[in-house]
Amino acid sequence: MLNIAWIDDPMDLAHWQAIQHAVLKWQPHINLTLEFIDGREGEPGEGKGDIRISVQGPGNYSLIGTDAKANDPWVPTMVLSVRPGEERFEATVMHEFGHALGLEHEHQHPQANIPWDLDKVYAWYAEKGHDKATVDDQVLGRLPERGHGFTRYDRSSIMHYPVRNELTHGDWEVGHNLELSEQDKAFAARIYPTP
Ligand SMILES: [Zn+2]
């Protein structure tokens, strides 16, 4: 069982339910029961969240997999600034929860040969307030080949950032992936298998 806690006070129930709805898109594919708890101070779930969600930004991010266990129990392991009603709300929640399940960025897959135009990539992200180190870490850097776990590079993964055509050499782009891909589901099933 994985306890997923809301930790902000006050709780916005409609917002919390919208997050749950998106997170639960992973549930049919994993042999791991997802429990949603009230992790606020003084509530029964206080200090019990394996994953602790704050909706107070900035940004959207999540620790990857079991890294969450190493954190102080009062620190969020996932921040979701995206708001229900925003166009890519569910996709963003699914992406961040994919990290919580242990999935890494698909655009950083060791076999992703994205023909990035580096100068344009740095300039574009700089305008959004991201420095070079962050871009290297979250966008451009390649993940190391691992002994297991990696599946084939999948452009349709929820873990893939959009790639704007003007940021690549030639005609190369990836749109906004809004749903779990078949490979996302298969990979999740492999790391949380039915015994
Ligand atoms: Zn990500």
Side-chain angles (χ1 to χ4, degrees):
M1 179 167 10
L2 192 68
N3 284 322
I4 305 161
W6 171 287
I7 61 169
D8 295 332
D9 222 347
M11 176 186 278
D12 177 335
L13 194 57
H15 189 163
W16 185 216
Q17 285 168 345
I19 290 173
Q20 292 177 33
H21 186 260
V23 166
L24 283 170
K25 300 223 167 174
W26 285 101
Q27 181 69 91
H29 312 294
I30 55 177
N31 184 33
L32 177 69
T33 305
L34 305 177
E35 278 285 320
F36 297 92
I37 63 173
D38 184 342
R40 293 176 298 167
E41 209 177 330
E43 297 296 336
E46 178 183 358
K48 296 204 176 100
D50 302 305
I51 294 172
R52 298 175 295 280
I53 298 177
S54 170
V55 299
Q56 292 163 13
N60 298 288
Y61 64 87
S62 172
L63 297 181
I64 295 185
T66 52
D67 287 357
K69 289 190 189 296
N71 241 21
D72 185 299
W74 305 112
V75 177
T77 67
M78 183 181 298
V79 168
L80 296 169
S81 297
V82 68
R83 288 288 180 270
E86 282 180 37
E87 199 184 348
R88 288 184 284 278
F89 171 77
E90 290 217 328
T92 303
V93 174
M94 284 189 277
H95 175 103
E96 299 308 336
F97 197 75
H99 285 312
L101 289 175
L103 278 66
E104 300 194 74
H105 279 150
E106 192 70 13
H107 51 277
Q108 297 181 274
H109 190 289
Q111 289 147 27
N113 289 308
I114 302 171
W116 291 115
D117 185 328
L118 297 183
D119 292 343
K120 288 184 183 166
V121 172
Y122 288 126
W124 192 82
Y125 279 98
E127 251 176 57
K128 301 199 170 299
H130 302 294
D131 62 15
K132 183 172 181 298
T134 303
V135 176
D136 288 340
D137 190 50
Q138 297 292 320
V139 183
L140 297 174
R142 294 285 183 90
L143 296 166
E145 295 271 4
R146 303 251 170 100
H148 65 91
F150 271 111
T151 39
R152 259 185 318 169
Y153 171 57
D154 173 19
R155 294 171 56 138
S156 60
S157 171
I158 197 76
M159 304 311 292
H160 204 303
Y161 279 2
V163 177
R164 304 168 72 88
N165 210 334
E166 73 260 31
L167 301 184
T168 61
H169 296 291
D171 182 19
W172 207 102
E173 67 182 335
V174 170
H176 289 280
N177 295 334
L178 300 176
E179 297 290 346
L180 304 181
S181 72
E182 290 311 308
Q183 191 167 291
D184 289 334
K185 297 172 189 172
F187 186 54
R190 212 166 85 189
I191 53 179
Y192 298 96
T194 307

